Amino acid sequence: MSTQSLPLRRDEATARAGLLTIEDYDVRLDLASSEETFGSVTTIRFTSKGGPTFVDLKPVSVARISLNGSPVDPATLAKGRLPITTLEGANELVVEATMPFRNDGEGLHRSVDPADGRAYVYGMCFMDAAPTIFACFDQPDLKAPYTFHVTAPRDWTVIGNAPGTQTSPGEWEFERSQPLSTYFVTLVAGPWHMIHDEHDGIPLSLSSRQSIAADLDKDAEELFTLTKQCFDEFHRLFGIRYPFGNYHQAFVPEFNAGAMENPGCVTFRDPLVFTSRVTRGMRIQRATTVAHEMAHQWFGDLVTPQWWDDLWLNESFAEYMGNRVTADVTQYDDAWADMSYARRQWGLTADQRGSTHSVAGNGAEDAVSALQNFDGISYSKGSAILRQLAASLGDDVFFAGAIDHFTRHRFGNATMHDLFGSWASAAAAAGVEFDLDTFTSQWLLTAGPDTLSWDPAKMVVNRTAPSLHPANRSHTFRAAILNGTQWTVEDITVTGDQTPLQVAANAVVLDPYDDTWAAAIPDWETVQALKGALPSITDGGLRAGVWNNLRSAWFNAAVDPADVIDIAEASLPIEDVEDSPRRTMPWLFGSVVPLAPAGARERLHEAALRKLEEVPPGSELQLSAYRTAIRSASSESLLREWLAAPPAGIETDLDLRWRILAKLAENGFASREELHAAYDAEPANDARIHLNGALVSIPDAESKAYGWSVFTGETDLPNYDILAAGRAFWTGPAELTAGYVERYFSELPATAEKRSGWSLAEAAEAFFPSGSVTEETLAAARAVVQLDLDPGVRRRVSDAADNLQRQLAVKVTYPRR
Ligand SMILES: [Zn+2]
């Protein structure tokens, strides 16, 4: 559907915004008549300067269209666009259509909970899916108020951007909303479990599927407390009241992103309602996500980027404010250290690849190309640069500028230029001398990070700019210096290619606290010293900084895998145990172990078992150590023993049971029957995802054939099940999957016929043969990106090829002994 439509070009958006002013939308949806489709009647009132334009519409079928009372021929609809000729002055367009429920996390997504058979629906319009729900002028700078009327099954609750009430059974009427961009209009409908609260005059609510109601109840107080603390802090910092009335936080199934900042009705992926026990890292991730979406209510929703080229600023601002507010006013005062593990390498690696781009000023000629640059550079690098800017300007100027921006463009749109103008005026008014133009050109308009390294022989810090993106940037950061057994912290300013640093030291860790934006690479002596020193470091920020230094070295083939394993064996980073592919543990086991000397996995397993003994029973560190021990295990008897009786302090919940079952399956110790029986005993969304991953990881031809049918789309699974299958596919003996390496490249282009958007690109990445570290696989990857691929697929595969090239460089530089 979306592959059949034309992405909106920037020049088209500019022309349409110059022609039209939207008065309001009236949208009438019937969600009760079918499980496949829904009725959608949209009335758009707008004024025009008169002349031809088009409305965006991606329906299943159209019943009737009228413009100013005259019929419009639905047959003129092509590639998602309906041409119309507007009158000068007031116009009214009415579109009666049938729209598709989708199952890929975009548009109006409908899914059935395997636990109890109940169906749930939510809207995700970002970034160009609104026309699959209602007819609209789909661009961020044509804002208008919306009035929704919804017919739903009688046992459903319906929530939208504005407050709504059920006027008769199954009939819901919503208040007229504030002016909204099309991309954040939403609707959340189903037999949801609801919890209500209130804070400072703002009605608050939470919702989840009924089958996880008890888990939402358990954490409701934590979630409401976080929300209240963040509201107070945002009100204090911004001095502008939250402008959208109610604040609902909906946890929804099969959601692609972490969350979406729809004004008044934020949607979160529902694994953030914890049905199994989680580590502190996961709670921090949820808290920063809550705060991030709240920051967007001002930056993004109240004032919205005029065009997609400023989307980075939207995310950078929310990311910086979300982390800052979480660390400052909630129980998670260690949020920055966790973010360092979770996000830093996402941005640094993206910024070192051939596909890097400047943070700002990418042009983004159309919506689809804008999405390709929506990456670790937008979130992680952009927020690091804003943090530097806030530190340089000082809080008074930083927030005075932001408030000026919110006030000038309230309920409207603005650009980066507007915001930086507000900051320049605020700085001038406060008498703060700061060269914003130089800052912008060095950090936001020039791509690539500098490399920083310490030369112990010359006692200098070397700064190297990327050769493809020359720059002359200064860096101010802290360095951690180990002398004997004593760590001290030193402030350093680097303004040239070599900066003297005269210290007596056996280890120097540059920029461990993420003060600047650079790839800091440890020298050989520091790496050796860390083997003994890391275990006694208790400062979470410094530990995260050490691992980021090691990962930056790995990315540049500047550290021996044997040394990384020695350090990890001495001090596993079990405080960082979440499974997001960007974090440290998946890197350690997925990238380092395969290139390290034989026996590395076994040594890390023993280290995890020792950790399990050392840490207090019942603690989250114990859970982390246990999960690492399961991840690295290969003994059937041990895994079976844990399945029957876990260590004291641990209870086997759904998550742990499936981690163990998956490990048994991967090693050939669990049958398909055993896996299906475990699912049937406890059917749930997350269990089904685990089941599909485990089924694919069984080391036999039948399982790999099943996994392949998921990749090609022959077996149709929801988004997260596809990812689980992809991540499990390449496990097991290489001879089982060797034949699929070539098939991946020949069959990849056709996957675009079965999937689109987010899930298409994610599947391409998840199934990439990253374990095949050979010149042939690299050449095949380089060749396939030359084909006419979906842009999302091309970006993921080029980045995967870049990773492969870097793995090859490690393999060549440090041959396996
Ligand atoms: Zn965001």
Side-chain angles (χ1 to χ4, degrees), residues 404-632:
D404 181 59
H405 185 72
F406 297 147
T407 309
R408 277 175 197 275
H409 308 286
R410 184 177 173 82
F411 294 121
N413 298 78
T415 64
M416 169 189 177
H417 186 76
D418 295 325
L419 177 61
F420 280 67
S422 291
W423 273 327
S425 311
V432 171
E433 297 265 345
F434 185 75
D435 185 351
L436 258 175
D437 289 341
T438 303
F439 181 89
T440 304
S441 81
Q442 294 206 331
W443 296 103
L444 295 173
L445 298 176
T446 309
D450 291 340
T451 298
L452 298 175
S453 59
W454 151 249
D455 181 340
K458 295 184 183 153
M459 294 255 175
V460 294
V461 173
N462 293 313
R463 179 198 69 178
T464 313
S467 53
L468 290 177
H469 307 279
N472 179 14
R473 286 176 281 242
S474 56
H475 298 266
T476 302
F477 57 91
R478 287 165 283 178
I481 297 174
L482 178 67
N483 186 8
T485 57
Q486 199 61 44
W487 285 98
T488 52
V489 172
E490 191 120 346
D491 291 317
I492 297 176
T493 296
V494 165
T495 53
D497 289 341
Q498 297 207 315
T499 304
L501 175 63
Q502 301 283 341
V503 286
N506 31 2
V508 173
V509 179
L510 300 178
D511 193 28
Y513 302 105
D514 306 342
D515 297 316
T516 189
W517 184 256
I521 296 187
D523 62 285
W524 187 86
E525 286 176 22
T526 293
V527 169
Q528 305 314 310
L530 285 170
K531 294 177 188 178
L534 186 58
S536 55
I537 297 178
T538 52
D539 171 354
L542 178 52
R543 283 183 59 86
V546 165
W547 283 106
N548 273 319
N549 269 241
L550 289 167
R551 291 186 67 179
S552 287
W554 178 269
F555 201 68
N556 291 282
V559 66
D560 190 329
D563 286 334
V564 179
I565 296 297
D566 287 348
I567 293 171
E569 184 183 29
S571 187
L572 273 176
I574 60 164
E575 66 274 28
D576 163 47
V577 82
E578 298 314 324
D579 295 325
S580 146
R582 299 180 192 119
R583 285 189 177 244
T584 318
M585 282 296 193
W587 164 73
L588 200 51
F589 283 96
S591 297
V592 183
V593 165
L595 299 185
R601 187 189 50 75
E602 290 80 356
R603 284 167 58 200
L604 296 186
H605 181 63
E606 292 300 319
L609 293 178
R610 284 195 298 276
K611 279 274 188 205
L612 198 51
E613 293 295 313
E614 284 165 18
V615 292
S619 67
E620 284 174 355
L621 286 180
Q622 183 201 25
L623 180 61
S624 298
Y626 185 52
R627 282 164 58 167
T628 304
I630 296 169
R631 182 199 285 272
S632 52

Side-chain angles (χ1 to χ4, degrees), residues 261 292-293 296 315 318 379:
E261 65 266 23
H292 174 117
E293 305 310 326
H296 271 313
E315 290 314 326
Y379 285 81

Side-chain angles (χ1 to χ4, degrees), residues 55-71:
V55 67
D56 300 289
L57 179 62
K58 301 172 186 172
V60 175
S61 63
V62 177
R64 188 177 70 89
I65 305 172
S66 73
L67 178 63
N68 303 319
S70 305

Side-chain angles (χ1 to χ4, degrees), residues 13-61:
T14 306
R16 198 161 62 171
L19 185 72
L20 307 180
T21 304
I22 317 300
E23 299 302 323
D24 56 28
Y25 283 85
D26 185 277
V27 182
R28 193 169 287 278
L29 300 182
D30 179 2
L31 308 181
S33 52
S34 158
E35 294 182 357
E36 272 80 45
T37 59
F38 58 96
S40 166
V41 181
T42 311
T43 304
I44 316 176
R45 295 193 309 132
F46 59 96
T47 58
S48 173
K49 291 178 178 158
T53 185
F54 59 92
V55 67
D56 300 289
L57 179 62
K58 301 172 186 172
V60 175
S61 63

Side-chain angles (χ1 to χ4, degrees), residues 65-285:
I65 305 172
S66 73
L67 178 63
N68 303 319
S70 305
V72 176
D73 182 3
T76 59
L77 175 65
K79 301 202 166 188
R81 296 177 177 191
L82 178 77
I84 53 171
T85 304
T86 63
L87 300 176
E88 191 180 338
N91 287 260
E92 184 177 278
L93 177 74
V94 181
V95 177
E96 281 184 44
T98 299
M99 298 290 195
F101 282 122
R102 295 173 65 172
N103 76 341
D104 60 357
E106 300 188 49
L108 209 50
H109 179 97
R110 183 179 188 278
S111 71
V112 175
D113 189 340
D116 56 17
R118 290 182 165 112
Y120 295 92
V121 161
Y122 63 85
M124 176 65 167
C125 287
F126 181 85
M127 66 189 302
D128 60 359
T132 68
I133 304 179
F134 53 93
C136 56
F137 299 105
D138 190 23
Q139 62 188 71
D141 61 344
L142 283 175
K143 285 188 173 182
Y146 286 75
T147 307
F148 268 81
H149 321 268
V150 179
T151 303
R154 291 177 172 215
D155 59 336
W156 283 22
T157 298
V158 186
I159 307 144
N161 299 96
T165 47
Q166 190 170 203
T167 51
S168 63
E171 299 296 330
W172 294 77
E173 293 291 330
F174 289 82
E175 293 174 17
R176 183 182 163 98
S177 74
Q178 298 285 8
L180 307 176
S181 296
T182 43
Y183 81 84
F184 48 58
V185 172
T186 197
L187 203 64
V188 168
W192 302 102
H193 171 62
M194 299 280 302
I195 311 175
H196 297 274
D197 200 344
E198 185 272 340
H199 179 66
D200 191 14
I202 305 168
L204 305 176
S205 47
L206 303 169
S207 63
S208 74
R209 287 177 286 133
Q210 292 290 345
S211 64
I212 55 174
D215 301 295
L216 183 64
D217 288 348
K218 213 168 48 201
D219 279 357
E221 192 185 331
E222 175 174 334
L223 287 163
F224 279 133
T225 300
L226 286 170
T227 306
K228 294 171 187 178
Q229 289 167 328
C230 292
F231 264 131
D232 288 347
E233 183 68 353
F234 284 123
H235 283 150
R236 186 182 77 80
L237 294 171
F238 296 153
I240 294 172
R241 291 280 303 175
Y242 166 70
F244 294 105
N246 297 8
Y247 195 68
H248 180 69
Q249 297 176 95
F251 293 87
V252 300
E254 298 164 1
F255 194 72
N256 287 318
M260 176 66 204
E261 65 266 23
N262 314 302
C265 184
V266 174
T267 41
F268 295 82
R269 57 189 297 252
D270 72 7
L272 291 175
V273 175
F274 305 134
T275 53
S276 293
R277 199 168 149 224
V278 296
T279 56
R280 184 174 176 85
M282 198 68 213
R283 290 188 179 275
I284 293 174
Q285 191 181 314

